[in-house]
Amino acid sequence: VASSVTPQELVFSVDNMTCGGCGSHVRNLVESSLNQQQQQQQASSMTIDKVAVDWRAGVLSIYGGNLNEFVEQSVIIEMLKKEGYPTTFLYVN
């Protein structure tokens, strides 16, 4: 039985991204965190389509399916905070 996947976008605000390099760094960190989360939750029906960072606007978006249910937002927020990027979850779309 294929479980249904709801397309979603998780949006976070990220402070201290002062250049495109910072944006790339944040995106790489988030992608690796999401990969780890997917491996830890073998049974989850989460899919990750894309991680997008707009460093000028200070916005991080994660696109995929069933994200709200399975993505551990606190893990991402804590990780980015440690790296010097205070992060807040804004909303799910």
Side-chain angles (χ1 to χ4, degrees):
V1 178
S3 58
S4 64
V5 174
T6 309
Q8 287 176 328
E9 173 192 5
L10 297 186
V11 183
F12 298 81
S13 92
V14 183
D15 293 339
N16 292 354
M17 290 194 292
T18 50
C19 63
C22 299
S24 301
H25 183 54
V26 165
R27 190 180 63 236
N28 292 339
L29 288 167
V30 171
E31 282 174 347
S32 66
S33 175
L34 289 169
N35 287 338
Q36 270 179 329
Q37 290 185 32
Q38 268 185 311
Q39 283 161 9
Q40 286 160 4
Q41 308 178 31
Q42 295 289 325
S44 94
S45 54
M46 164 169 78
T47 59
I48 307 293
D49 297 328
K50 181 172 91 161
V51 176
V53 175
D54 181 339
W55 65 270
R56 284 188 180 86
V59 173
L60 156 71
S61 299
I62 303 170
Y63 298 92
N66 293 359
L67 299 175
N68 205 31
E69 197 178 340
F70 293 109
V71 171
E72 293 180 48
Q73 298 162 9
S74 57
V75 170
I76 290 173
I77 289 168
E78 280 302 306
M79 171 193 66
L80 290 176
K81 202 162 78 179
K82 276 196 191 100
E83 293 283 330
Y85 303 102
T87 301
T88 315
F89 177 69
L90 294 179
Y91 59 90
V92 61
N93 217 352

